[in-house]
């Protein structure tokens, strides 16, 4: 693991520089923490935040072996929706959230005690539209010092927190798929099996789709499989 004069990983520094210049395949409006209009037409749009908008945090850090890893959670079995499922930290917009980064960071702090001050938001991915009429904006952030993160779980919402290698979501290993149909749309759901700290996790549905997209952007290559994700996930109302 190589570091520069600031003590930051050179790998992460180069990644952050590249991601700040990321241009999505189509333009969209996002509530941006920088309050600036970028070449990709990503801009701060305070009029677009609302109750049907959500954000998730793709929080990356460099592992001990130099690999890029992402923080994930298992939702509490007591939750009314998606109980016991693996998810990215995040949730719905609330009053007081000025932008999507605010939403993602606030939720991450509430769920797992992640201090927003140790996360640098570097870019946003194109939104995903759910069958529950929610538009989800993935926010990519970097933790420069993983040791600064000391998880404090909100037991009412989160059962456990773990991390997984981001590149896993581009590989066929530990992957399976299920053919589905909804409202005339035929598609595949991707499932990734993973073990951490003697616990087994299944990462699937929207979470796996977001991570496949994030990994494709970060590693600049498509997955080694035909994703065939639902077309309706790409239809945003914001």
């Amino acid at each position: 693991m190589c570091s520069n004069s600031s003590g930051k990983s050179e790998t992460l520094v180069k990644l952050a520089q590249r991601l700040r210049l990321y241009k999505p395949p189509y333009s969209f409006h996002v509530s941006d923490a920088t309050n600036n209009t970028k070449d990709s037409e990503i801009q701060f749009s305070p009029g677009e935040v609302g109750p049907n908008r959500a954000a998730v945090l793709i929080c990356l850090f460099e592992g001990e072996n130099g690999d890029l890893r992402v923080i994930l959670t298992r939702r509490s079995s007591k939750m009314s929706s998606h109980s016991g499922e693996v998810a990215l930290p995040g949730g719905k917009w609330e009053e007081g959230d000025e932008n999507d980064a605010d939403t993602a960071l606030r939720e991450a702090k509430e769920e797992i005690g992640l201090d927003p001050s140790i996360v640098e938001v570097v870019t946003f991915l194109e939104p995903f539209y759910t069958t529950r009429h929610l538009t989800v904006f993935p926010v990519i952030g970097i933790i420069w010092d993983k040791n600064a993160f000391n998880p404090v779980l909100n037991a009412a919402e989160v059962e456990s927190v773990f991390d997984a290698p981001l590149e896993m979501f581009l590989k066929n290993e530990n992957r399976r798929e299920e053919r589905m149909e909804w409202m005339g749309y035929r598609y595949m759901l991707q499932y990734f099996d993973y073990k951490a700290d003697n616990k087994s996790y299944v990462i699937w549905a929207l979470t796996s789709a977001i991570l496949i997209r994030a990994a494709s952007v970060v590693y600049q290559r498509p997955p080694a499989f035909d994703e065939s994700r639902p077309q309706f996930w790409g239809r945003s109302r914001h």
Side-chain angles (χ1 to χ4, degrees), residues 7-232:
K8 294 181 178 179
S9 159
E10 291 184 2
T11 299
L12 288 182
V13 169
K14 291 179 180 178
L15 175 64
Q17 291 172 342
R18 177 164 57 82
L19 289 180
R20 292 187 191 103
L21 301 175
Y22 170 67
K23 295 182 179 181
Y26 58 90
S27 65
F28 60 92
H29 297 295
V30 65
S31 296
D32 186 1
T34 64
N35 203 15
N36 292 323
T37 300
K38 301 180 183 178
D39 292 339
S40 58
E41 296 185 26
I42 300 177
Q43 64 183 35
F44 181 68
S45 305
E48 296 187 1
V49 294
N52 290 328
R53 192 179 184 112
V56 293
L57 182 64
I58 303 168
C59 197
L60 305 177
F61 66 93
E62 191 171 57
E64 294 181 0
N65 297 322
D67 59 333
L68 283 175
R69 304 187 70 84
V70 59
I71 295 174
L72 293 160
T73 71
R74 173 179 279 164
R75 290 167 61 88
S76 168
S77 58
K78 298 177 182 178
M79 295 289 287
S80 59
S81 63
H82 303 290
S83 60
E85 293 184 6
V86 171
L88 289 158
K92 295 180 69 174
W93 172 88
E94 291 185 2
E95 291 284 350
D97 293 343
E98 293 186 359
N99 49 62
D100 298 304
D102 269 4
T103 301
L105 292 171
R106 173 185 52 74
E107 287 282 347
K109 183 177 182 180
E110 291 176 2
E111 293 175 1
I112 58 175
L114 179 60
D115 185 345
S117 68
I118 70 170
V119 181
E120 181 178 346
V121 172
V122 291
T123 197
F124 301 80
L125 300 182
E126 50 272 29
F128 287 70
Y129 178 67
T130 76
T131 56
R132 298 189 178 194
H133 308 292
L134 195 67
T135 303
V136 180
F137 283 83
V139 178
I140 297 185
I142 290 176
I143 294 181
W144 299 103
D145 180 10
K146 174 58 169 58
N147 294 326
F149 173 41
N150 298 304
V152 179
L153 306 189
N154 179 346
E157 298 185 26
V158 175
E159 181 179 298
S160 60
V161 61
F162 66 102
D163 56 80
L166 182 66
E167 194 174 13
M168 175 180 82
F169 300 98
L170 296 179
K171 299 180 178 180
N172 259 317
E173 302 169 18
N174 303 316
R175 183 190 70 89
R176 49 196 169 91
E177 59 187 26
E178 181 181 6
R179 191 177 302 277
M180 304 288 289
E181 184 172 347
W182 180 81
M183 298 289 288
Y185 293 97
R186 294 182 179 180
Y187 59 94
M188 306 294 286
L189 280 184
Q190 304 296 333
Y191 296 74
F192 294 86
D193 297 300
Y194 187 69
K195 290 186 176 181
D197 298 325
N198 297 317
K199 295 181 180 179
S200 296
Y201 298 96
V202 179
I203 305 145
W204 69 295
L206 191 66
T207 298
S208 68
I210 291 173
L211 288 170
I212 290 169
R213 181 61 190 151
S216 297
V217 170
V218 167
Y219 288 100
Q220 300 179 292
R221 71 174 193 266
F225 49 87
D226 182 9
E227 185 180 4
S228 298
R229 78 182 195 191
Q231 292 182 1
F232 53 81

